[in-house]
Amino acid sequence: MEAEGNDFPDARSNTPEGIPTPRRSERVARWALIKAALDLDYNFLAFPIENEQECGYVQVVKPELRSFHSSLHTSEEPAYATYWLSGDVRSESVSKASRQPVNGDSMDIDEDVMIDDDEDESEEEEVVPQIKITLVGERELEAAKSKYLRIHSEHIYCLSPSPVTDADLICGPTQLVHKKDESLAADAVTLLGRIAGPHVRRGRYVKPATSSLKADEPSTSKRAQAEQQKAERDTKAKRDAAPEAETRKEEKPVTSAKPKPTGKLDWTKAKTKTKVETSGAKHEAKDEKKRKGKADNAAKMEVDEEGSKAQKTSGRDKPSEEGSASSVKVEEKPGKSTKRPTPPKQTPSDQNVKMQRGVKRKSALPDEIDSEPDAPKSRTKTPTPPVESKGKAGAKLNGKKNVVLSDDEEEAAPAPRNRISKMKGKGKAKPIVPDFDSEAEMSVRAMMDIDDGKLSRIEISGAKFIGRRADHVIKASNKQERQQETPHASEPEDEFEPEPPMTPAEDVLMIDDSDDEPVKPKPRKRKEKKVWPVGRNGFRKRRVMKSRMTVDDKGYMGMFIEDYSDYESVDEEETEAEKEKPKARKSGTKSRKSTTPAEDKTERKPLRASDSYDTHKAKSTSTEKPKRAGSSGKNPQGNLTHFFGKK
Amino acid sequence: MSEDSEVPVPDAPLTRLPTFVLPPSEKTPQFTINAVNKSYKHQYANIYFVRLRLLREFVEKNAEKRWKGIEGNPVFVRRVLDVVKGKLCYIVGTVYMDMPLKPNVLEDIARDHAIPVPPLRQKYHSEKDNTMLEDESGRIRLVGERMKSSNLVTGVIIAALGIETNNGDFEVVDICYAGMAPQPGAESPKDADESMDIDDAASFGSADHDEWIAIVSGLDVGAVSSSDAQLQMLAEYLTGEAGGLDDQQGVSRISRLIVAGNSLAPVVINEELDKKSRRYGHDNSSFSPHPTRLLASCLEDIARSMAIHLLAGATDPSGTLLPQQALPRAMFGGASAYGSFSTETNPTYLHIGTTQPPSSDGKTNGNASSSKAASSSSSSRTPNRTILVHSGQPLDDMFCYLPTPPVTRLNIAEATLRWRHIAPTAPDTLWCHPYFTKDPFIITETPDIYIVGNQPAFKTKLVTERARDGEKERRCRIVLVPSFNQTGTLVLVNLRTLVARSVSFAVEGMTAGGQGS
């Protein structure tokens, strides 16, 4: 046998394309290597993996190992071979073998099912050709061969000094091979006999992307939207300021004097405005709302899968079946396509507005759901800025809906179609035209809302209903709080819905979050505790604030409070008297400390006397108020501290 | 015969046929949940609303075609609660299976936590089950003989033809589904016949010149009864190291490997050990990184010679909610250095073609050799294929709803295509992400190959839907891939003809984990 194996020609035989054929000297050396590996290094010799680096091309060396193995039959130290068999087998045998779950009780049912399925599936299941690859010891080789219909290949897989009883032992040298492989170049893979393709490459994985690859949001994160909106609100305001500057020239002083949006309504300013100003503000509010509406629509479109884009353009002409998609917004209804505005007509400012999707809009219900008029609307988590939440009839309706759970009122509510038209009217020139995508989404939301509405009406005791009730309670309490905070703003409160409508998609916890947000600025107003100097008598010193009447450059007389940043010791009697004062001030709208009534009059004079008095100045005075209030507020606190300190 | 001639040597080093991952089509959904849309605040009811909203249209259309002009002139009633007694009509809605044995979250909440959790039932099906059809208006119970053979699960959108009974139930005469979704790349019936003619002739070997893909699932590396030997055989077979020339020529046609979940065995937590103090976050005595390393080295072996797509599965260290997100590439050591190794979501759509797509800058991806091969392979007759793969959880869950033997897993997989939904039982009994405005499990395009991993046995079927109204015939090859650890089976699918084959790895005369012999 060995002699046959040694009869390899020295020159390359039939491998013209660079597959190396071993020379005689090489073969002898390798045999020695294999022998040494068997005897010394390892109990196991896996072939070809173990020594493929030394042995070269896999297919060339396989017969060499066979020759080596046959040569050992005559020797005293035989090696036991494990064979690799591959070939076609009968489908039944393989399928039965593949159906036998080996371990795990969890598969019992499936096993039963499989057995039961045999009869049924024989009709429908395809019988496909089966290839079986078996590792078998040389003793069982013939028995294994008999199971094959046709054998594709048979070669020695590995040699071992004893018969292999545990198949996992074959994997022993694998780690060594891996280490060796790591040291090899990537191109060496093919030289060793592995089959590699040109599409297999090292480097970073690059995910193929379409040119129109869209954001694949399965759900719209409102928080993310709110963050995005917050971030872009400032930029938008800047951008919008330029085109709107001309139209709002008269309002400019008002808008320029606007404080930064703190999330709180300042209704006192709205009261002091003149008619022109208020109308201007309303106009602005409408503009804002209009923009917001656009932004909502645009954002909805953006947030949705961009796959809808294709359907927007092509879906109209296509049969409806072709236009299916997994997103709601993608759905379109043929026949309404004329309403949809064409995207190219959008101005750059509109595009900017597009990105500003923040709060959910009240959705307009389509005709389908006319019979369910008062569906609760989506509700946002983000606090709406004061201007944005200004008066809309629809919003008012929702506001009522969110608070009152009356069936009569729900029935009395206008039909959705009316609401759409109303919105159109309110929205002036460019109302929120319900394009198809947004409308589809609205209808879905409306479906959800209707369901919830029904639930509340029929009073099913379910978690959803409970949550809804809780929501109403929360809403009502929040509203009361708001009214307390701004007592003279109750009228606008009714008219302007400060919170967008609610969807059933949001639970009570979310609503709590959203309601908390406007209140957030409140704790910031707390004054830092100051260390007050204490006099000899043990009482805290009083801060010296002196007022003085002066005439400024323009000839106006005004009172200025001067802070000397000094402290005077006070008597105990004085402190008692002071203790009463701040309370009285607190109840009043103005808190002034050391001003006499006469001085007060003189101070107010310029404000009342001249109608042309600049509102800006008025505001500047109003901005001083909190400061004074704050400064006056320190005294009671100090006294209170003293009260406790004394004990 | 000379011994040397038994293992013939190829004339030239074999080269694997290349295929390339194409950009996803606009209609097929993506299952990636990124930071923007990772929101858990939405109610699950949205999914049902969206599903009904999207599929109602197709079901209505099909129902109209099917029942138009039949005796009794059935009318379509838009809302299930508007059904008139004694009048033949059909309604469309979402199926809800009221099953006493089905897990109920309210029961979970009300459960006494002092009592250990009862084991999950293998079957929810019982004689007391009721089938409801519901829409936004309400629900109605479906009864009748037809319902006994309907084999429905919760979440399926159907149309039911029947009459309301005096009890207020709806006696069903017939049922209609949405039908298979459009298939953009579908061949015309004539072409299909031509391609099917050579199916039998297209053997997996030297005579075959088509591209194939290999699918394996349930490697279960690290299991108590591991199948390391079979795993090594698999790696050597796919890389072309083992086997004869026939085998190697066949293997060279396999362009990529899809690992459909459950690559790692579930971690068994020993509570007693768990209570012990841990050092560096894990207990060395109970935790071993060996399975991950073993899997990584095996994948690296294969990744050197072919492209790999790895999906997460139920037992993999990934999230429980569907869609499961892709496993981190860094887990897989050297394999992650290959650009042709990619981890995918579960489920996922793969678009495979023989022509390399241009990159965003207009150039072709890869090096010169790959582009050269791409140009050479452009002569391939294999069309671009869409492959839908998931790791089997949806099918396993649906299997619990239905009585067996009449229903088989292959039936269910086929039904999902006709229902146009991969996982209708989500979110009822199958946990899934709380989507708000979409239901990505809806099948918007019928895939060419539909692969379901981790099934007890290998099954396959070519599902076709007759061409109608001039549309092309829709064909889909369903492949149920068994767990490799249990069966040692690798599945091969011809990308051109959609013919399937199986390769099983076994050992004889020696003990082995997994299947054994």
Side-chain angles (χ1 to χ4, degrees), chain B residues 297-329:
Chain B
S297 62
C298 176
L299 289 175
E300 186 182 357
D301 263 353
I302 302 170
R304 284 194 185 105
S305 64
M306 69 194 305
I308 300 176
H309 300 271
L310 180 79
L311 275 77
T315 62
D316 289 325
S318 179
T320 313
L321 300 186
L322 283 185
Q324 286 183 300
Q325 296 305 291
L327 295 167
R329 287 168 59 85

Side-chain angles (χ1 to χ4, degrees), chain A residues 251-465:
Chain A
E251 304 160 15
K252 210 174 182 181
V254 180
T255 50
S256 62
K258 256 188 193 172
K260 287 178 184 176
T262 58
K264 253 197 151 183
L265 298 174
D266 192 359
W267 297 106
T268 53
K269 284 176 193 170
K271 283 272 177 187
T272 53
K273 277 175 193 170
T274 59
K275 279 187 178 179
V276 179
E277 285 167 355
T278 49
S279 66
K282 274 185 181 178
H283 180 70
E284 186 191 342
K286 282 173 185 173
D287 287 349
E288 189 72 25
K289 180 112 186 188
K290 199 170 73 182
R291 284 197 302 272
K292 197 171 169 298
K294 279 181 186 175
D296 275 351
N297 273 346
K300 276 175 194 169
M301 287 164 63
E302 278 200 356
V303 167
D304 192 16
E305 263 196 2
E306 291 189 9
S308 60
K309 283 180 185 172
Q311 290 195 339
K312 281 176 206 167
T313 52
S314 60
R316 285 176 225 153
D317 305 328
K318 282 180 184 177
S320 57
E321 190 168 13
E322 298 292 333
S324 67
S326 60
S327 173
V328 185
K329 296 167 197 172
V330 185
E331 283 296 304
E332 293 179 7
K333 286 191 174 180
K336 291 187 182 179
S337 57
T338 49
K339 284 185 182 177
R340 191 163 170 266
T342 52
K345 286 183 181 178
Q346 287 172 338
T347 60
S349 62
D350 283 341
Q351 287 171 356
N352 294 334
V353 171
K354 250 190 175 183
M355 303 296 291
Q356 288 189 350
R357 163 97 166 108
V359 292
K360 254 195 242 168
R361 275 184 55 252
K362 183 188 71 164
S363 61
L365 298 176
D367 297 347
E368 273 187 359
I369 44 178
D370 277 355
S371 59
E372 306 290 338
D374 233 359
K377 297 299 167 185
S378 65
R379 174 186 170 132
T380 183
K381 277 189 84 173
T382 54
T384 52
V387 181
E388 288 176 353
S389 62
K390 278 188 179 179
K392 294 287 173 189
K396 181 182 172 184
L397 190 69
N398 274 324
K400 282 181 179 176
K401 208 276 170 182
N402 280 336
V403 178
V404 184
L405 278 171
S406 167
D407 287 352
D408 297 338
E409 189 167 311
E410 284 179 16
E411 285 164 14
R417 183 176 286 177
N418 294 339
R419 267 192 269 168
I420 294 171
S421 61
K422 207 168 189 179
M423 287 169 66
K424 280 178 185 174
K426 284 257 172 186
K428 283 190 177 175
K430 287 223 167 182
I432 307 150
V433 181
D435 63 346
F436 280 150
D437 294 342
S438 59
E439 189 183 351
E441 189 200 354
M442 282 179 209
S443 65
V444 171
R445 292 189 180 194
M447 282 165 63
M448 301 171 199
D449 294 345
I450 286 164
D451 194 39
D452 269 20
K454 285 210 163 198
L455 279 175
S456 62
R457 273 203 297 280
I458 59 177
E459 294 196 350
I460 293 172
S461 60
K464 200 177 260 184
F465 178 63

